[in-house]
Structure formats: C-alpha cells, structure tokens
Amino acid sequence: MKDDSCIFCKIANGEIPSATVYEDEDFRVILDMGPASKGHALLLPKEHFKDLCELDPEVAKKVLPVCAKVGAAMKKSLGCEGFNIVQNNGEAAGQTVFHFHVHIIPRYAGGPKIAAWTPGSETPEVLAKTAEQIRAAL
C-alpha cells in the first residue's frame, strides 16, 4: 500500500527523482540530501509503513540484507572503514518522516561522532524490574 501524501512513498516509487544507489521490487536506496557523511543513504520501502512497529514481517526480513549489501559497496567504493545502521521510531526518537526508513551512514577514520551516547549505570534490581515490565507487555 502507498500513501499518496507521503514524500518517501513518492521517492521510493520513482515519482520524485533521487540519487538512487540501489533498487529492487521492495526497496529504493537513495542518497540523503542532508548527509551525516559522504555517501549517507536511506533505505525506503516502496510500500508505506509508518515505523518499525507497522513494518510487514516479510518486508522486515529483507531490510538487513539490503543494508549489508549497500554498506559493503560503500566500503569498497568510498573507502569508509565502517558504517552505521540507524532506524528512528517516533518523534521523541528523532523520526521526522513517518515512513519507515533506515539510514546507512558511512564512517571514516577521524570522522565526527554520529551515533554516540554516554553509558549510564543501573542496579541489578532496577534492571530486573524493567525487564519484567517489558516481558509483561510482549
């Protein structure tokens, strides 16, 4: 299913031009117009899913293999030493376009920190209680 008001649906289905690096029957992978680093790409499903929680399981099975294929091509062609796979769900998590998508971000030696946080700490008791809350909701 497509959402006619969704810009990522239009890009994924070729209605809006993009710098496409990969395409198959399920996805289009394009270069991000506001890249975090050279080669930063977005994997866009051709069907509309608001976020990871709405993603069809059959489509979901194909996401990581495509990301790996594109990431390996980035390492080979751009000389990056690695890449991040970033997927945001919900406004609080940084999602700005509500069409499931994955950022594939090349990482270069000496480059900027892109996905980082300062690790916190927690007691075993609080971890156990949090795990119990999550398990109860599954």
Side-chain angles (χ1 to χ4, degrees):
M1 183 167 90
K2 224 172 61 170
D3 179 342
D4 291 333
S5 65
C6 175
I7 190 163
F8 278 5
C9 281
K10 292 176 182 178
I11 294 169
N13 289 285
E15 296 171 39
I16 295 176
S18 62
T20 299
V21 299
Y22 175 85
E23 183 176 10
D24 64 22
E25 63 276 357
D26 297 303
F27 305 104
R28 181 181 298 256
V29 179
I30 65 167
L31 292 181
D32 194 309
M33 292 181 67
S37 67
K38 181 181 179 178
H40 178 168
L42 299 175
L43 175 140
L44 308 174
K46 292 183 176 179
E47 289 186 57
H48 184 80
F49 306 99
K50 178 182 159 194
D51 58 24
L52 180 64
C53 297
E54 291 187 2
L55 187 61
D56 178 90
E58 291 304 310
V59 174
K61 289 180 192 177
K62 301 173 186 177
V63 169
L64 285 180
V66 172
C67 289
K69 178 185 274 193
V70 172
M74 290 172 166
K75 290 171 70 174
K76 184 176 181 180
S77 64
L78 301 177
C80 60
E81 294 187 14
F83 57 94
N84 290 110
I85 301 299
V86 178
Q87 203 285 307
N88 304 318
N89 288 278
E91 190 174 342
Q95 186 177 10
T96 58
V97 178
F98 293 89
H99 177 111
F100 172 86
H101 58 285
V102 178
H103 295 261
I104 309 166
I105 306 171
R107 298 302 302 269
Y108 301 92
K113 289 184 179 181
I114 294 171
W117 61 87
T118 302
S121 63
E122 199 55 83
T123 66
E125 295 79 18
V126 170
L127 292 174
K129 182 176 180 179
T130 302
E132 182 181 324
Q133 288 175 298
I134 296 168
R135 279 193 309 271
L138 291 175

